[in-house]
Amino acid sequence: MDLEALESSHSPAPDNPYEREGSTSRGLTPHKGLPEKAELLSLDVKRSQPLLIHSGRRLRDEESRSSSLPDIPNPFPELCNSSPILSNTPNSSSPLEGGPHVSTILQVVKVYSEDGTCRSLEVTAGATARHLCDMLVERAHCLSDESWSLVELHPHLGLERCLEDHESVVEVQAMWPAGGDSKFIFRKNFTKYELFRGSPVSTKDHMSTVKQINGYGRACSDNYTQNFLNSGSWPEIQGYLHMKESGRKVWKRLFFFLRRSGLYYSAKGTSKDPRHLQYFADVNESNAYCLTQGKKLYSAPTEFGFCLKPYKMRSGTKGLKILCSDDEQSRTCWLTAIRLFKYGAQLYKNYQLSRRSPHSWADLKKQVQRSVSDSTLVPMDFSGCTGRVIENPLEALSVALEEAQSWRCPSYMTLFVHSYTHCISILLVIHKTQPWYHGRLSRDETQRLITQQGMVDGVFLVRESTRNPKGFVLSLCHLQKIKHYLILPCEEDAKPFYSMDDGQTKFVDLIQLVEFHQINRGILPCTLKHYCTSVAL
């Protein structure tokens, strides 16, 4: 047989992967006396056996075929981190080969407001509660401050808590039971950062073993909070609490201790002996919630209940550590202490970031425009024959106050309205445009709204009186108690006024009354600081 003819008729295709892999991987050498090509004919290649082909190795015909294809534009460039052109270069890799992949996944979060309206937002997995609040403030066109909060509500359990600004909203929502009625509520919470505002409200004298803490805001002036933020050390918090026994409706009043290792109670009075201390819960592995229906659902002895809910617990009430305090001040103290023990300096960092961040892009734009325009304004006095520049700041302030008062007088406003009666009608309804006015609201609903938004000195709202059809009521929080002041209309020289002290102090309208008491205390126990508000999403 002609060897050359046989070779030409059985010559393998160029770059045959099976033959190339067989000749290289087996490492065979040709026999003596025969050419090297003739040795390939004696190899019995078993094509049914799997061959090892490296993933990074590309065949020549595949390379030539892919290089001839044109570049295709990517129809969804926003979903990829790479170039918007689907390149066919050998260096490009697919997501399955460890290349670039979609790292931003949007998830839907529903948020409710006080009036029951709902808004769905698409957020990333790392979106925090502060980021979500800023989005809602921007879309609701309301003034932003650090008091806006996202509240986690579980109606079936009667629990609610205010999310910290650094918490991930998606992670919190993932812990909810499937098909439950849990939801987020967008509302104000004035007690969230009252710890750093210097308000003399909170913990009682017996709740610190080192020295009395007069308030969770006064702690800053007493260097308690600063020492904790700097060194991480905090005095032992102690006090009496009512504890609900697991699986029973029986409540016991015991002496509790909050330490770095957890929450304990004494089985023998107020003894701190380790033999008498019983472990209750780990605050670092739980979230602290307020009880919204403590008496109804848990037969609580008072309305000031709270509980510790472990992270691993998704549904049911079996794992809840339910407690109850004697008053609102004591409950606020315990919840504040638990937050400090759990998050530490992160709370103060959240407070600084919330104050430093701009309210919204619209507010920031207005602030820039206002700063540019105010720099060109100069106080002037045109009372004489010629105008003069007022250089004394005190004189400029007094002139501004006089103009403001004259502007508010009905006699001055008649220059800009068609008739005096029309001016009076405006003064009677102008308060309805204010965020602190809530219309017809019962006393129970008022107390619930103020309690939800924070029992802080100066929290107030104005509503219609349910007993006097022509009067109004100013509801004010002071020393953890809500007080109500009746505002009655009166007349002087056939001109209507409003007063809270039988006509001794008169105000043209409710706006003037509120603005006066925001600066001056008057007959009130404190000035008006924070108004309760609810926005429609």
Side-chain angles (χ1 to χ4, degrees):
M1 180 182 293
D2 191 357
L3 184 61
E4 295 181 358
L6 182 63
E7 178 184 353
S8 60
S9 62
H10 292 83
S11 61
D15 293 333
N16 191 321
Y18 293 99
E19 273 197 9
R20 184 175 60 203
E21 191 71 19
S23 62
T24 57
S25 61
R26 300 194 186 192
L28 300 178
T29 58
H31 293 281
K32 294 181 179 181
L34 291 177
E36 182 179 355
K37 294 183 180 180
E39 179 63 20
L40 299 176
L41 300 177
S42 62
L43 296 177
D44 187 11
V45 179
K46 298 182 180 180
R47 299 179 182 268
S48 61
Q49 294 181 354
L51 298 177
L52 178 61
I53 301 178
H54 299 283
S55 60
R57 187 173 182 176
R58 300 173 61 94
L59 303 180
R60 295 182 183 178
D61 55 349
E62 185 178 346
E63 291 180 359
S64 60
R65 184 168 56 255
S66 61
S67 61
S68 62
L69 296 178
D71 292 339
I72 304 174
N74 184 6
F76 305 102
E78 67 276 5
L79 299 181
C80 301
N81 297 329
S82 59
S83 173
I85 300 296
L86 295 180
S87 177
N88 290 313
T89 58
N91 294 332
S92 62
S93 57
S94 63
L96 297 178
E97 296 175 356
H101 57 281
V102 180
S103 59
T104 303
I105 302 177
L106 297 179
Q107 299 192 19
V108 179
V109 176
K110 286 187 177 181
V111 183
Y112 293 81
S113 63
E114 296 286 353
D115 58 357
T117 58
C118 175
R119 180 181 286 271
S120 298
L121 301 175
E122 289 186 349
V123 298
T124 59
T128 61
R130 171 52 54 184
H131 177 238
L132 208 64
C133 289
D134 292 340
M135 294 175 59
L136 294 172
V137 165
E138 184 73 22
R139 299 192 180 189
H141 305 287
C142 55
L143 296 177
S144 176
D145 54 32
E146 63 273 11
S147 300
W148 286 111
S149 306
L150 203 62
V151 178
E152 179 188 3
L153 180 63
H154 302 281
H156 64 288
L157 297 177
L159 305 178
E160 70 174 21
R161 77 176 181 100
C162 176
L163 267 66
E164 303 297 343
D165 286 347
H166 66 276
E167 289 190 72
S168 174
V169 179
V170 177
E171 292 180 1
V172 173
Q173 185 175 254
M175 298 301 296
W176 294 351
D181 56 353
S182 303
K183 57 184 177 180
F184 290 120
I185 297 181
F186 179 60
R187 72 159 70 119
K188 282 197 171 185
N189 182 16
F190 298 105
T191 61
K192 182 169 62 172
Y193 293 125
E194 196 68 14
L195 169 67
F196 308 111
R197 293 195 184 105
S199 175
V201 181
S202 180
T203 58
K204 293 186 175 180
D205 297 343
H206 66 272
M207 300 194 69
S208 174
T209 58
V210 178
K211 186 180 179 181
Q212 67 178 12
I213 302 177
N214 297 326
Y216 57 81
R218 284 282 293 278
C220 293
S221 60
D222 295 337
N223 295 326
Y224 280 106
T225 306
Q226 295 299 329
N227 293 336
F228 173 76
L229 296 177
N230 296 332
S231 62
S233 61
W234 187 258
E236 183 181 84
I237 304 299
Q238 60 186 25
Y240 280 99
L241 289 173
H242 300 271
M243 182 190 71
K244 183 180 182 298
E245 295 186 1
S246 179
R248 301 179 60 185
K249 296 184 178 181
V250 180
W251 289 78
K252 290 184 178 181
R253 192 170 186 267
L254 301 171
F255 202 76
F256 277 80
F257 301 89
L258 179 58
R259 297 179 175 179
R260 184 59 76 177
S261 57
L263 185 61
Y264 300 84
Y265 65 90
S266 177
K268 187 176 182 181
T270 59
S271 175
K272 296 183 181 180
D273 195 319
R275 299 176 301 175
H276 302 148
L277 293 183
Q278 301 291 330
Y279 177 79
F280 183 73
D282 186 3
V283 297
N284 294 320
E285 298 296 330
S286 306
N287 285 324
Y289 292 82
C290 289
L291 299 183
T292 58
Q293 302 178 22
K295 288 189 174 181
K296 180 179 180 181
L297 298 179
Y298 304 101
S299 303
T302 66
E303 298 178 353
F304 314 105
F306 64 98
C307 78
L308 296 175
K309 183 174 178 289
Y311 291 152
K312 59 183 180 180
M313 177 183 173
R314 289 181 175 268
S315 60
T317 61
K318 187 176 181 180
L320 294 178
K321 305 292 184 179
I322 305 176
L323 299 169
C324 190
S325 58
D326 295 330
D327 49 28
E328 179 65 30
Q329 184 179 6
S330 178
R331 179 173 69 171
T332 304
C333 167
W334 280 103
L335 293 177
T336 305
I338 291 174
R339 291 173 61 204
L340 282 173
F341 270 80
K342 184 176 179 180
Y343 299 109
Q346 182 66 41
L347 292 181
Y348 189 65
K349 183 179 179 181
N350 294 344
Y351 173 64
Q352 289 180 321
L353 292 177
S354 62
R355 296 184 63 190
R356 193 180 307 163
S357 59
H359 299 314
S360 63
W361 289 111
D363 295 341
L364 185 61
K365 183 178 179 181
K366 293 179 181 178
Q367 184 178 0
V368 173
Q369 294 176 351
R370 191 184 304 113
S371 62
V372 173
S373 60
D374 290 349
S375 61
T376 60
L377 296 179
V378 178
M380 298 288 294
D381 181 16
F382 297 98
S383 59
C385 298
T386 60
R388 68 179 181 89
V389 178
I390 303 177
E391 299 180 355
N392 189 358
L394 297 178
E395 183 183 359
L397 180 60
S398 62
V399 171
L401 292 177
E402 291 178 2
E403 291 184 357
Q405 293 297 332
S406 61
W407 174 265
R408 301 188 67 83
C409 292
S411 59
Y412 188 80
M413 292 184 65
T414 52
L415 298 176
F416 302 96
V417 293
H418 299 290
S419 62
Y420 179 74
T421 56
H422 182 59
C423 172
I424 296 300
S425 61
I426 292 178
L427 294 177
L428 294 177
V429 299
I430 194 174
H431 56 268
K432 295 184 178 180
T433 61
Q434 301 302 310
W436 40 258
Y437 181 74
H438 289 258
R440 182 170 294 274
L441 204 67
S442 64
R443 174 170 293 207
D444 295 337
E445 293 174 342
T446 300
Q447 296 189 170
R448 179 187 58 82
L449 183 60
I450 295 179
T451 302
Q452 288 178 348
Q453 299 197 8
M455 299 289 288
V456 178
D457 285 359
V459 177
F460 75 98
L461 62 85
V462 178
R463 57 187 175 89
E464 295 182 6
S465 176
T466 56
R467 298 182 180 180
N468 194 324
K470 296 183 179 180
F472 299 89
V473 177
L474 173 65
S475 301
L476 174 66
C477 178
H478 179 64
L479 296 179
Q480 307 287 327
K481 295 182 180 180
I482 302 176
K483 301 180 180 180
H484 307 274
Y485 299 88
L486 185 62
I487 306 173
L488 294 176
C490 58
E491 290 187 3
E492 182 177 346
D493 298 335
K495 298 179 181 179
F497 294 95
Y498 291 97
S499 177
M500 291 191 301
D501 51 5
D502 298 331
Q504 296 182 8
T505 307
K506 306 180 186 65
F507 301 95
V508 176
D509 52 21
L510 294 181
I511 299 180
Q512 190 181 40
L513 184 146
V514 171
E515 290 180 350
F516 174 82
H517 288 94
Q518 285 178 334
I519 304 174
N520 309 280
R521 190 178 68 177
I523 65 171
L524 303 177
C526 63
T527 58
L528 306 180
K529 298 180 181 179
H530 314 289
Y531 57 85
C532 290
T533 182
S534 58
V535 296
L537 298 179

